Amino acid sequence: MVVSMSSCRIFRLFLHPSSSTLYRKYRNTCIHHISTSSSLLQIMGDQVADKMENLTTSDKGQKKECPAKKEDGDGVPAAPSSSGGGGKAALKVPKGTRDYSPQQMAIRESVLATIIQCFKRHGAENIDTPVFELKDVLTGKYGEDSKLIYDLKDQGGEILSLRYDLTVPFARYLAMSKISSIKRYHIAKVYRRDNPAMTRGRFREFYQCDFDIAGAYDPMLPDAECIKMVEEILNALQIGEFQIKINHRQILDGVFELCGVPLEKFREICSSVDKLDKSPWEEVRNEMINEKGLSPEIADKIGKKIQVSGKPNDVIAQLKSDTDFMSNPTTKQGLESMELLFKYCQLMGVEESSVSFDLSLARGLDYYTGVIYEAVLISRGKGGAAVGVGSIAGGGRYDTLVGMFDPKKRNVPCVGVSIGVERVFSIIEQRSDKKIRTTETQVYVATAQKGLVEERVKILSTLWGSGIKAEHSYKASPKLLQQLQYCEEMQIPWAVVIGEGELEKGIVKLRNVATREEEEIPRTDLIPILKARLS
Amino acid sequence: MVVSMSSCRIFRLFLHPSSSTLYRKYRNTCIHHISTSSSLLQIMGDQVADKMENLTTSDKGQKKECPAKKEDGDGVPAAPSSSGGGGKAALKVPKGTRDYSPQQMAIRESVLATIIQCFKRHGAENIDTPVFELKDVLTGKYGEDSKLIYDLKDQGGEILSLRYDLTVPFARYLAMSKISSIKRYHIAKVYRRDNPAMTRGRFREFYQCDFDIAGAYDPMLPDAECIKMVEEILNALQIGEFQIKINHRQILDGVFELCGVPLEKFREICSSVDKLDKSPWEEVRNEMINEKGLSPEIADKIGKKIQVSGKPNDVIAQLKSDTDFMSNPTTKQGLESMELLFKYCQLMGVEESSVSFDLSLARGLDYYTGVIYEAVLISRGKGGAAVGVGSIAGGGRYDTLVGMFDPKKRNVPCVGVSIGVERVFSIIEQRSDKKIRTTETQVYVATAQKGLVEERVKILSTLWGSGIKAEHSYKASPKLLQQLQYCEEMQIPWAVVIGEGELEKGIVKLRNVATREEEEIPRTDLIPILKARLS
């Protein structure tokens, strides 16, 4: 952490807080700095950070209440737990979760507003579902990842679990409400008992921003729009270079078929392929052979066929010259679908450089049945070589999930995308250097002498009544300097200052906080003048 | 339920869906009607509704999977639970929760926007906390209501509970982040295993909108602003006449003192007084005598002292003439605080008719230490007599809660208010007759003949690129009539129609959906003309 001049000043002030208001503001800034350094700890590994956290909690005189330590699922010691209430409460948030400070909320709000703007530009409606579902709703939908689901305690009622994503609740909603077509977005928190990596934006409680198009439509029109929207959103967020990798489950299935993979192993081999974004082919190959029981010949065939990616037109040309590929009806049909998809993408104005056709993209979840895609942020190495530095959005087509809930197995075809906003928040938090405003206050009402609180309140009342965002000190007789410093710190554009002189003359001083220029205006003109300045 | 002509038409269409798009729209409307009638069931008592729900679920072929029925905490049978995944998943949401449809979300968004506007007008910052807390954080904060807390299952990590309100997590946040002053709002869902009454807006998962001012300030300035804000919000929401009842815990404590209640019984007698908004004095008196062990004389004394309410000035005058009251230092001091509070309220422009000084107001939660208030909606009976029909907002001062979390017991005085928005949603949902728009789509791009999907997509791409909210059919060759009907149904203001003739001439038809007027404009002028029309 680079300790800047301003943070030194902050620490000095922090030690000698002369006013409560200033104290709080500098306090907050300090907290920001402190949390930056604790982030550094987390870079050292979350386990280390977690142990330090436990130490800190123990330091707070909790040792006596600490029961025999339980090991967490991932080998991290559980937090010490005190049995009583009152002053002994543990002073931390659950592992893998965080409070959002006003600064973080300001970033979150602006990121979500950008995303919602895109969703609305494409005509989406908004829905919400409960944070928990009957456990049965989630059962059998997530494959191996089901172990990460948070269950609620059986308290003598229904058996409930926290939602793991927004897609399964969406499918349950469609089946339950018998909706056969909808274009909706849903922005809400989901829960996974995963190993957190907070600085990289991986939490146990995190936001998902989902957009999905449900309905029986013509091929690839909804699918292409989802890809278009990922491009629009990532461009609008300005978080750096990205690429949207695209593939089709039908192509993967066809490749497995033509390589001789037994049908019953398709899903587990698909799950091995999914690991290619993090592991080298050698490891994935070993898993296929040693864990999934494929012959080395079949594994090698798969490796050759799927390690193909590049510009859509190049990959399409390459595959068309592959006789194996073109003679298998499944891969051939998948390729035709991809051609149509890329044609629509081009017509929609998706940049060729934004997308790649990547046969090694598999996506983890079982429910995908068609097009799949994943956007990754790109870091340019030496010589300009692109390296993927993490997934930022993903999705695909899932045509059979709704049918799993419908009593008559009636399916509603769906395609959608989920934006990984926590990662976006992290990126923007880490790079934002200038102070973000956390309030929208337009006018601060200040008094220059003691005993004027009633006059201040009267002016405030007029301002609020005119829809002007206004604040004052909650001290009856605050010092003028402190009031003005607060305005500068919070970047409030205007201050109205009254003293006994102003009261007698029926005027107020209107101060431009940034320039510190002051002018006297008649009190009766205050509202129209302010409204003109603020518009 | 009044079945209108339009809903008859809806049901007819519903049986013969001729187009998928129309089908969905009418479907949605039907669902709305269905949910209205199921609301009626709930008026008949939630237990009945719950049993019917269970029957419905059983009807869906789930009987075989149904285990021995467990009784819920409140005597309602639990939902049948199937053990497997796949097609057997239970098709319902957890008891006391609901999905929000696009129509409901539109209402929710507009209500929350009104409230947030007020919070921001008063300079509030925004924060968020995790949906669950370490169980210890919640322990010992809610008195009898602790039994309503949702616990998470012990899955080998921390022991967690869903948050019960936003106040305790706020206090934990202040202590943990060592913040000594902040003015923040927090809008989020909270969880209570209570007996739901869905039509009256009582859920197990529900939103709270909290605004709080934390910091050591001068008396009653923050408190009065909270009351001012309740008035502003309830006026802005236009949900009918209301009254804000106000009292002071110090006055209640003083009354108990001067009536001879033993100190250790103060909190439980306060909790009895709290029931006066729902039960007659006779019942509360019986509880005080038979359950809480007060003598009838003391109970009667309390009854006489606290059954006093009315216009602040009248009540203040009445209390000042009460020698018991004025000779007890606690009540006297409480009264002085109330005088100051009402003075500030008046200066802030709070209407005298909006507030009442009500000595019987006690508020349930233990953590209040000063001013308490509760806004109730008023229904006028015959002769204009006001009857409270339910609480819509509440809050008060809690100066010692943060200290319960601080290792050094350092307190941060707080005062705040919570708006009961679920009730507001319910009221607005029940009265809204006209169809609310659920999208913001500005332009629909329609084609008049088959085979023009590519031209449609090109126009859409231009519209999106110019920031115009635009949609089209996901069918390659949809019928023109269906496209135009969709525009009318969704209240999309403009439609751009292209056919082969228009393509040849390089023009488009621009249709005003409401008036059905069409004009021909050059395709190159489409964006500037649309922008002018939409601005």
Side-chain angles (χ1 to χ4, degrees):
Chain A
M1 185 175 79
V2 179
V3 178
S4 64
M5 279 308 290
S6 73
S7 69
C8 290
R9 195 178 111 242
I10 287 157
F11 277 99
R12 212 164 51 234
L13 266 159
F14 175 50
L15 292 169
H16 303 286
S18 56
S19 101
S20 150
T21 307
L22 271 179
Y23 179 60
R24 199 270 288 193
K25 296 325 299 179
Y26 286 116
R27 201 63 161 118
N28 273 359
T29 324
C30 286
I31 288 154
H32 179 74
H33 283 258
I34 289 163
S35 72
T36 311
S37 71
S38 97
S39 295
L40 283 176
L41 288 178
Q42 280 157 356
I43 292 168
M44 294 156 57
D46 282 307
Q47 297 211 355
V48 177
D50 220 275
K51 274 167 192 162
M52 294 205 55
E53 250 180 86
N54 285 339
L55 277 175
T56 321
T57 322
S58 304
D59 281 344
K60 284 164 189 157
Q62 297 213 8
K63 260 179 178 154
K64 277 176 202 164
E65 285 78 37
C66 186
K69 275 195 182 171
K70 280 187 228 170
E71 286 293 313
D72 203 343
D74 40 24
V76 179
S81 141
S82 65
S83 51
K88 293 165 192 167
L91 202 53
K92 54 183 277 187
V93 291
K95 186 182 170 192
T97 70
R98 59 167 169 176
D99 295 320
Y100 284 83
S101 71
Q103 281 80 6
Q104 290 167 321
M105 285 302 282
I107 291 170
R108 181 171 116 180
E109 280 174 35
S110 96
V111 168
L112 295 184
T114 301
I115 293 169
I116 291 171
Q117 204 175 22
C118 175
F119 291 162
K120 288 190 171 172
R121 192 162 56 240
H122 290 262
E125 300 180 290
N126 190 5
I127 72 156
D128 195 14
T129 64
V131 79
F132 41 58
E133 296 276 347
L134 297 181
K135 187 172 170 57
D136 288 343
V137 167
L138 307 189
T139 302
K141 307 299 183 305
Y142 301 107
E144 289 175 15
D145 286 348
S146 296
K147 64 180 186 295
L148 303 180
I149 292 173
Y150 276 99
D151 293 329
L152 269 78
K153 191 171 160 183
D154 182 353
Q155 288 172 295
E158 297 159 325
I159 304 301
L160 307 173
S161 300
L162 297 185
R163 62 183 163 211
Y164 180 86
D165 66 6
L166 302 177
T167 311
V168 169
F170 176 53
R172 191 267 308 142
Y173 169 73
L174 292 183
M176 191 171 135
S177 305
K178 299 190 174 56
I179 292 170
S180 57
S181 77
I182 190 172
K183 180 160 59 176
R184 80 88 180 82
Y185 70 93
H186 187 187
I187 297 181
K189 286 175 177 175
V190 300
Y191 299 86
R192 299 184 186 176
R193 295 181 66 256
D194 210 343
N195 212 358
M198 322 271 282
T199 46
R200 291 189 295 279
R202 187 143 55 88
F203 296 89
R204 291 182 159 197
E205 173 185 60
F206 60 97
Y207 265 92
Q208 281 198 337
C209 297
D210 279 24
F211 169 87
D212 294 80
I213 301 171
Y217 296 121
D218 279 310
M220 297 299 154
L221 273 173
D223 314 59
E225 190 164 340
C226 289
I227 290 164
K228 169 72 175 165
M229 290 169 70
V230 173
E231 191 195 35
E232 283 184 6
I233 288 169
L234 295 183
N235 278 332
L237 290 173
Q238 297 183 298
I239 44 168
E241 203 183 338
F242 62 89
Q243 191 161 55
I244 309 167
K245 299 177 186 179
I246 312 178
N247 197 11
H248 199 297
R249 274 282 168 97
Q250 215 179 337
I251 291 180
L252 280 175
D253 285 351
V255 166
F256 298 156
E257 208 177 290
L258 66 88
C259 294
V261 177
L263 187 62
E264 69 276 10
K265 285 193 196 291
F266 274 25
R267 288 279 75 79
E268 49 178 324
I269 295 305
C270 188
S271 157
S272 296
V273 172
D274 184 45
K275 291 167 186 159
L276 267 181
D277 61 339
K278 292 198 182 76
S279 313
W281 165 247
E282 261 325 296
E283 272 179 36
V284 172
R285 181 180 179 275
N286 282 343
E287 182 180 305
M288 287 181 177
I289 297 167
N290 303 326
E291 291 177 36
K292 309 282 167 83
L294 282 195
S295 72
E297 293 71 35
I298 294 180
D300 288 336
K301 260 191 183 171
I302 297 173
K304 207 176 146 198
K305 292 285 178 202
I306 61 167
Q307 290 186 86
V308 171
S309 70
K311 287 186 184 173
N313 286 339
D314 297 349
V315 174
I316 289 169
Q318 183 184 338
L319 294 176
K320 278 191 172 171
S321 68
D322 179 332
T323 43
D324 279 358
F325 201 91
M326 294 311 284
S327 57
N328 177 293
T330 315
T331 41
K332 188 166 177 281
Q333 215 175 54
L335 183 60
E336 281 160 8
S337 296
M338 290 295 275
E339 277 193 272
L340 183 62
L341 174 76
F342 287 122
K343 189 179 78 178
Y344 284 139
C345 282
Q346 199 196 346
L347 287 168
M348 286 181 187
V350 175
E351 292 286 333
E352 202 198 3
S353 60
S354 295
V355 292
S356 77
F357 185 174
D358 189 334
L359 270 78
S360 72
L361 179 74
R363 300 280 300 154
L365 295 166
D366 279 355
Y367 51 61
Y368 290 117
T369 57
V371 170
I372 44 178
Y373 31 82
E374 194 165 295
V376 290
L377 291 180
I378 300 288
S379 172
R380 292 274 165 197
K382 279 176 191 163
V387 186
V389 290
S391 165
I392 198 92
R397 176 162 286 283
Y398 50 101
D399 284 349
T400 55
L401 188 59
V402 178
M404 291 172 89
F405 292 103
D406 192 276
K408 291 176 187 162
K409 309 270 176 216
R410 197 187 46 129
N411 273 312
V412 178
C414 296
V415 63
V417 64
S418 182
I419 311 292
V421 279
E422 297 294 344
R423 189 145 206 151
V424 179
F425 300 155
S426 289
I427 292 168
I428 296 180
E429 267 173 44
Q430 278 161 28
R431 79 164 177 210
S432 71
D433 38 3
K434 65 170 185 181
K435 199 175 173 318
I436 300 156
R437 277 203 78 181
T438 54
T439 73
E440 295 179 7
T441 307
Q442 298 165 311
V443 179
Y444 189 89
V445 183
T447 37
Q449 286 104 19
K450 288 188 179 182
L452 296 176
V453 59
E454 296 190 13
E455 292 302 326
R456 214 165 65 203
V457 169
K458 276 192 230 167
I459 292 177
L460 275 169
S461 169
T462 324
L463 296 175
W464 292 330
S466 309
I468 294 169
K469 295 167 189 147
E471 279 187 81
H472 71 140
S473 166
Y474 294 115
K475 302 258 180 193
S477 298
K479 292 199 172 110
L480 183 59
L481 184 65
Q482 281 168 13
Q483 295 173 78
L484 298 179
Q485 277 173 330
Y486 177 85
C487 293
E488 293 188 5
E489 175 68 20
M490 299 296 283
Q491 303 170 57
I492 299 171
W494 298 98
V496 168
V497 186
I498 49 168
E500 277 154 19
E502 284 77 17
L503 277 179
E504 272 167 30
K505 288 190 268 178
I507 57 159
V508 299
K509 265 198 197 125
L510 184 59
R511 179 185 172 100
N512 181 319
V513 175
T515 65
R516 300 187 177 177
E517 284 167 344
E518 290 186 349
E519 59 191 312
E520 296 191 339
I521 58 170
R523 193 155 156 175
T524 45
D525 293 347
L526 178 61
I527 299 297
I529 288 176
L530 273 178
K531 286 215 160 181
R533 299 284 166 89
L534 291 167
S535 72
Chain B
M1 184 175 79
V2 179
V3 178
S4 65
M5 279 308 289
S6 73
S7 69
C8 289
R9 194 177 112 243
I10 286 155
F11 277 99
R12 212 164 51 233
L13 267 161
F14 176 50
L15 294 169
H16 303 285
S18 56
S19 101
S20 150
T21 307
L22 273 178
Y23 179 62
R24 197 269 288 195
K25 297 323 299 178
Y26 286 116
R27 202 64 161 119
N28 271 0
T29 326
C30 283
I31 289 155
H32 179 75
H33 280 258
I34 290 165
S35 74
T36 311
S37 71
S38 98
S39 295
L40 282 175
L41 288 178
Q42 280 157 353
I43 292 168
M44 293 156 58
D46 282 305
Q47 297 211 353
V48 177
D50 220 274
K51 275 169 192 161
M52 294 204 55
E53 248 181 87
N54 285 339
L55 276 176
T56 321
T57 322
S58 304
D59 282 343
K60 285 165 188 156
Q62 298 215 6
K63 260 178 179 155
K64 277 176 202 161
E65 285 77 37
C66 186
K69 276 196 179 170
K70 280 186 226 168
E71 286 294 311
D72 202 344
D74 40 24
V76 179
S81 139
S82 64
S83 51
K88 292 166 191 166
L91 203 53
K92 53 183 279 185
V93 291
K95 187 181 170 191
T97 70
R98 59 166 167 174
D99 295 319
Y100 284 84
S101 70
Q103 281 80 7
Q104 290 168 321
M105 284 303 282
I107 291 170
R108 182 171 116 180
E109 281 173 35
S110 98
V111 168
L112 295 184
T114 301
I115 293 168
I116 291 170
Q117 202 174 25
C118 175
F119 290 162
K120 289 190 169 171
R121 192 161 55 239
H122 290 262
E125 301 180 289
N126 190 7
I127 71 154
D128 195 15
T129 64
V131 80
F132 41 57
E133 295 276 347
L134 297 180
K135 187 172 169 60
D136 288 342
V137 167
L138 308 188
T139 303
K141 308 298 183 306
Y142 301 107
E144 290 174 15
D145 286 347
S146 295
K147 65 180 185 295
L148 303 180
I149 293 173
Y150 277 97
D151 292 329
L152 269 76
K153 191 170 159 183
D154 182 353
Q155 289 172 292
E158 298 159 325
I159 304 300
L160 307 172
S161 300
L162 296 185
R163 63 183 161 210
Y164 180 87
D165 66 6
L166 302 177
T167 310
V168 169
F170 176 54
R172 190 266 309 144
Y173 169 73
L174 293 182
M176 191 171 135
S177 305
K178 299 191 176 55
I179 293 171
S180 56
S181 77
I182 190 172
K183 180 160 59 173
R184 80 88 178 85
Y185 71 94
H186 187 187
I187 297 182
K189 286 175 176 174
V190 301
Y191 298 87
R192 298 183 187 178
R193 296 182 66 256
D194 210 343
N195 214 357
M198 321 271 284
T199 46
R200 292 189 295 279
R202 187 142 56 86
F203 296 89
R204 289 182 157 198
E205 172 188 66
F206 59 97
Y207 264 93
Q208 281 198 336
C209 297
D210 279 25
F211 169 88
D212 293 80
I213 301 170
Y217 296 120
D218 279 311
M220 295 301 154
L221 273 173
D223 314 58
E225 189 165 338
C226 289
I227 290 164
K228 169 71 175 166
M229 289 168 71
V230 173
E231 191 195 36
E232 283 184 6
I233 288 170
L234 295 182
N235 278 332
L237 290 174
Q238 296 184 298
I239 45 168
E241 202 182 339
F242 63 90
Q243 192 161 57
I244 309 166
K245 300 177 184 179
I246 313 176
N247 198 13
H248 199 298
R249 274 282 169 95
Q250 214 179 340
I251 290 181
L252 280 175
D253 285 352
V255 166
F256 297 156
E257 206 176 293
L258 66 87
C259 294
V261 178
L263 187 63
E264 69 276 11
K265 285 192 197 287
F266 274 24
R267 286 280 75 79
E268 49 178 323
I269 296 303
C270 188
S271 157
S272 297
V273 172
D274 184 45
K275 292 169 184 157
L276 266 181
D277 61 341
K278 292 196 181 77
S279 313
W281 165 247
E282 261 325 296
E283 273 178 36
V284 172
R285 180 180 180 274
N286 283 341
E287 181 180 306
M288 287 179 176
I289 296 166
N290 302 326
E291 291 176 36
K292 309 283 167 84
L294 282 195
S295 73
E297 295 70 34
I298 294 180
D300 289 334
K301 259 191 185 172
I302 295 173
K304 209 177 145 198
K305 291 286 179 203
I306 62 165
Q307 290 185 84
V308 170
S309 71
K311 288 185 184 174
N313 286 340
D314 297 351
V315 174
I316 290 168
Q318 184 183 337
L319 295 176
K320 280 191 168 170
S321 68
D322 179 333
T323 43
D324 279 358
F325 200 93
M326 296 310 284
S327 57
N328 176 295
T330 314
T331 42
K332 186 165 176 283
Q333 216 175 53
L335 184 60
E336 281 161 7
S337 296
M338 289 295 275
E339 278 193 271
L340 183 62
L341 175 75
F342 287 122
K343 190 180 76 177
Y344 284 139
C345 282
Q346 200 196 345
L347 288 168
M348 286 184 187
V350 175
E351 292 286 332
E352 202 199 3
S353 60
S354 296
V355 292
S356 77
F357 186 174
D358 188 335
L359 272 77
S360 71
L361 179 75
R363 301 279 300 155
L365 295 166
D366 279 357
Y367 51 61
Y368 291 116
T369 56
V371 171
I372 45 177
Y373 32 81
E374 191 166 297
V376 289
L377 290 181
I378 299 289
S379 171
R380 291 277 166 196
K382 278 176 191 163
V387 186
V389 289
S391 165
I392 198 93
R397 176 163 285 283
Y398 50 102
D399 284 349
T400 56
L401 188 59
V402 178
M404 291 171 89
F405 292 103
D406 193 276
K408 291 176 185 161
K409 310 270 175 217
R410 197 187 45 128
N411 273 313
V412 179
C414 297
V415 63
V417 64
S418 182
I419 311 291
V421 279
E422 297 292 344
R423 190 146 206 150
V424 178
F425 300 155
S426 289
I427 291 167
I428 296 180
E429 268 173 43
Q430 277 161 29
R431 79 166 176 209
S432 71
D433 37 5
K434 68 169 184 182
K435 200 174 173 317
I436 301 155
R437 278 204 77 182
T438 54
T439 72
E440 295 179 7
T441 307
Q442 298 166 312
V443 179
Y444 189 89
V445 183
T447 37
Q449 286 105 17
K450 288 187 178 180
L452 296 175
V453 59
E454 295 189 13
E455 292 301 326
R456 215 163 66 203
V457 169
K458 276 192 229 166
I459 293 177
L460 276 168
S461 168
T462 325
L463 296 174
W464 292 331
S466 309
I468 293 170
K469 295 168 187 146
E471 278 186 83
H472 72 139
S473 166
Y474 293 114
K475 301 257 180 194
S477 297
K479 292 200 173 113
L480 182 60
L481 184 65
Q482 282 170 12
Q483 295 173 78
L484 299 178
Q485 278 173 330
Y486 178 86
C487 293
E488 294 189 5
E489 176 67 22
M490 299 297 283
Q491 302 172 56
I492 299 170
W494 298 97
V496 168
V497 186
I498 48 166
E500 276 155 18
E502 284 78 16
L503 277 180
E504 272 167 29
K505 286 189 269 177
I507 57 160
V508 299
K509 265 196 197 128
L510 184 58
R511 180 185 172 99
N512 180 320
V513 174
T515 66
R516 299 187 177 177
E517 283 167 345
E518 290 185 348
E519 60 190 308
E520 296 190 340
I521 56 169
R523 195 154 155 179
T524 45
D525 293 349
L526 179 61
I527 299 297
I529 289 176
L530 274 177
K531 288 215 159 177
R533 300 283 165 89
L534 291 167
S535 72

